[in-house]
Amino acid sequence: MDYGMLINGEQVSAERMIEVINPATEEVFARVPHASEAQMNEAVAAAKAAQKAWAQTPMAERRAKVEALAAAIGEEAGELARLITMEQGKPLPEAQGEVAWSQGYLAHTATLELPDRVIQDDAEFRIETRHKPLGVVAGIIAWNFPLLLCCWKIGPALMAGNAIVLKPAPTTPVAALKLGEICARIFPAGLVNIITDANDLGPKLTAHPDVAKIGFTGSSETGKRIMASAADTMKRVTLEMGGNDPAIVLPDVDVKAAAEKVYGGAFLNAGQVCLAVKRAYVHSDIYEAFCAELAALAGQAVVDDGMKQGTTIGPIQNKAQFDKIKGFLEDARACGKIIAGGTPKDGPGYFVPPTIVRDVTDGQKIVDEEQFGPVLPVIRFDDIDDVIARANASDYGLGGSVHSGDTAKATEIAGRIESGTIWVNQQLNIGPHIPMAGFKGSGLGVEQSVEGLAEYTQMQVINVARG
């Protein structure tokens, strides 16, 4: 099946096409256009023209349009979930959850406002702040949540009065293009544009002089290149990048309950989540029992095509990442003990069972680097100050968690972790009303919530003298 790009309100093709692979079968299931540089320029020009009128559109009308998009996604939920599973690999129930999240994030973003704020109002001065649209936003999307991440960019960009050009990942473009079909029915021509490429247009889009802001979700390496590309024209950037998120488990937990939380936080979407647990630090007093619980949970996983009923772990999304995960498995065998999983499945598909690796420590690849796959190293610790230092000894700082029977103690420890989000006795509790930010190499700026909306605006101060 072929899909078209959305440029200036029209579904368009291209001279070349990209084949989209189902990672569960390694077979082509769709073809999408490979945009030319001229088509990218067309999309930016259309967005620039449409943004001028949109910036003058009353907030109530913007809100109604974004709400209409959320509702339309609900009407197409079945088809969108099917496409997500076929191109991304996640089990169909997780894909259905992604569609529901996309609706919810858009609906909540439509409620947000950035009202003028009066700083001073007296006989001498009236000083207030306002939030102005930036212009054209380029949204660059990773392959792990191909619909949700598009909606994370579209919602705040449009509510702030901007237009947008979206570029989904080349391995997961189909749900985004289906979203484009929906957007074409709702928004003025040119306001939302969606182009697809083979990762060749990214540098040109991020350097384009008519792009005012870049909203990026993806790897830290790409994020750094985007920052460099944005420098010449002083583009605003929001970068949500990788993480090597620690889970610290104290000896006073209910071992079974805590293991279920850590396991769930590590293996959602086959571990292909920026905020997933990437390393578990477990106190020596419960280390043996905790490892055994994790291994038992991993042993119960059903690893198969996400379209099959009962599947709990789908494939790795693409071959490059699959090969990278195999490298982590080799390192795990060399430096630790694999107690569950560890061997990719034979046959077609990029399948790796949930893998638990024990008896490893900091300084080893399996611990120090982000796996972004279904592999969890479990590291022993004895001293809380030492484990906090080890958790913080990372170039990343996106998420993390602390698990303890003493909530106050866990909360105090959480405050000492250098990460944008730290959960206490839970994992992956995110929402459109909760800011998401990263320390260090995990990102720049804020996504979600009113703080995230503000990232899509320029603050202006109006300073009026009286008398």
Side-chain angles (χ1 to χ4, degrees):
M1 185 176 293
D2 291 356
Y3 291 82
M5 300 182 290
L6 177 62
I7 299 177
N8 200 22
E10 300 291 333
Q11 304 291 311
V12 301
S13 190
E15 291 183 3
R16 292 187 290 163
M17 301 294 283
I18 300 168
E19 294 183 335
V20 183
I21 304 294
N22 181 333
T25 65
E26 299 183 57
E27 296 176 351
V28 174
F29 85 95
R31 300 195 320 154
V32 304
H34 184 159
S36 65
E37 185 174 354
Q39 287 176 311
M40 179 203 74
N41 290 333
E42 232 182 286
V44 174
K48 183 178 179 181
Q51 190 271 333
K52 297 184 186 307
W54 184 251
Q56 303 304 316
T57 300
M59 185 61 77
E61 291 184 32
R62 295 184 206 167
R63 178 174 297 111
K65 292 289 190 183
V66 174
E67 289 173 341
L69 177 59
I73 287 172
E75 293 168 4
E76 302 270 9
E79 175 68 2
L80 284 165
R82 185 184 70 84
L83 294 175
I84 289 169
T85 293
M86 291 185 71
E87 68 177 344
Q88 201 280 331
K90 66 186 62 175
L92 187 59
E94 288 187 22
Q96 292 165 339
E98 179 173 345
V99 176
W101 273 17
S102 300
Q103 283 184 268
Y105 272 80
L106 284 169
H108 180 80
T109 302
T111 71
L112 300 179
E113 293 185 359
L114 291 168
D116 298 347
R117 183 169 68 92
V118 176
I119 295 174
Q120 184 176 341
D121 190 8
D122 55 28
E124 292 186 291
F125 302 101
R126 178 179 172 85
I127 305 172
E128 62 183 57
T129 61
R130 299 176 182 175
H131 289 271
K132 312 292 286 186
L134 291 168
V136 177
V137 173
I140 300 177
I141 308 302
W143 46 255
N144 55 337
F145 289 91
L147 179 68
L148 179 64
L149 295 176
C150 287
C151 295
W152 280 12
K153 312 301 185 217
I154 290 174
L158 298 192
M159 287 302 295
N162 304 296
I164 190 165
V165 178
L166 281 170
K167 191 181 81 66
T171 57
T172 56
V174 181
L177 295 182
K178 180 64 178 177
L179 179 66
E181 294 178 10
I182 299 170
C183 288
R185 303 196 299 261
I186 295 171
F187 298 109
L191 191 65
V192 177
N193 303 270
I194 303 178
I195 60 172
T196 44
D197 73 339
N199 272 341
D200 53 311
L201 290 179
K204 295 179 174 65
L205 181 61
T206 57
H208 198 292
D210 288 335
V211 170
K213 177 184 171 63
I214 303 162
F216 169 74
T217 301
S219 71
S220 295
E221 292 74 20
T222 303
K224 291 174 184 177
R225 292 196 294 271
I226 286 172
M227 282 191 72
S229 179
D232 284 347
T233 51
M234 292 297 290
K235 291 175 174 43
R236 277 44 177 169
V237 295
T238 302
L239 307 174
E240 195 266 294
M241 302 188 292
N244 193 11
D245 298 8
I248 298 174
V249 186
L250 277 61
D252 60 353
V253 297
D254 177 322
V255 170
K256 183 176 179 62
E260 288 175 353
K261 291 174 184 175
V262 170
Y263 177 87
F267 294 105
L268 177 71
N269 196 20
Q272 299 166 118
V273 180
C274 54
L275 284 161
V277 179
K278 307 289 175 38
R279 46 192 172 130
Y281 291 95
V282 180
H283 195 276
S284 290
D285 289 355
I286 59 168
Y287 187 80
E288 298 295 333
F290 202 88
C291 286
E293 286 289 345
L294 288 175
L297 290 166
Q300 296 167 15
V302 179
V303 183
D304 210 332
D305 188 328
M307 294 299 291
K308 294 183 179 179
Q309 188 171 3
T311 295
T312 60
I313 300 283
I316 304 302
Q317 197 283 312
N318 58 77
K319 188 177 187 304
Q321 186 65 18
F322 180 59
D323 290 341
K324 183 178 177 181
I325 296 300
K326 289 192 286 187
F328 277 106
L329 294 178
E330 291 174 9
D331 182 69
R333 289 189 196 94
C335 68
K337 181 180 180 182
I338 295 175
I339 57 174
T343 303
K345 287 180 65 175
D346 291 331
Y350 308 132
F351 293 102
V352 176
T355 299
I356 309 297
V357 188
R358 58 168 291 170
D359 302 333
V360 289
T361 190
D362 304 84
Q364 297 167 336
K365 175 181 177 180
I366 193 69
V367 177
D368 289 0
E369 297 183 21
E370 180 186 28
Q371 309 91 12
F372 214 73
V375 184
L376 178 64
V378 188
I379 308 107
R380 187 189 303 264
F381 82 91
D382 292 290
D383 178 76
I384 193 63
D385 291 328
D386 174 63
V387 78
I388 291 170
R390 290 156 71 185
N392 287 339
S394 172
D395 292 335
Y396 295 108
L398 191 60
S401 62
V402 182
H403 302 262
S404 172
D406 184 339
T407 303
K409 180 180 180 181
T411 303
E412 185 274 328
I413 293 168
R416 297 169 64 188
I417 305 298
E418 296 170 355
S419 289
T421 299
I422 303 293
W423 292 284
V424 173
N425 292 328
Q426 59 177 336
Q427 298 287 164
L428 298 180
N429 178 17
I430 64 173
H433 60 301
I434 305 171
M436 180 187 294
F439 282 38
K440 298 181 283 190
S442 285
L444 185 67
V446 181
E447 291 216 281
Q448 321 317 331
S449 74
V450 71
E451 289 85 357
L453 177 61
E455 295 266 334
Y456 286 80
T457 68
Q458 170 64 53
M459 180 181 286
Q460 181 183 58
V461 178
I462 305 295
N463 193 325
V464 180
R466 286 175 166 156

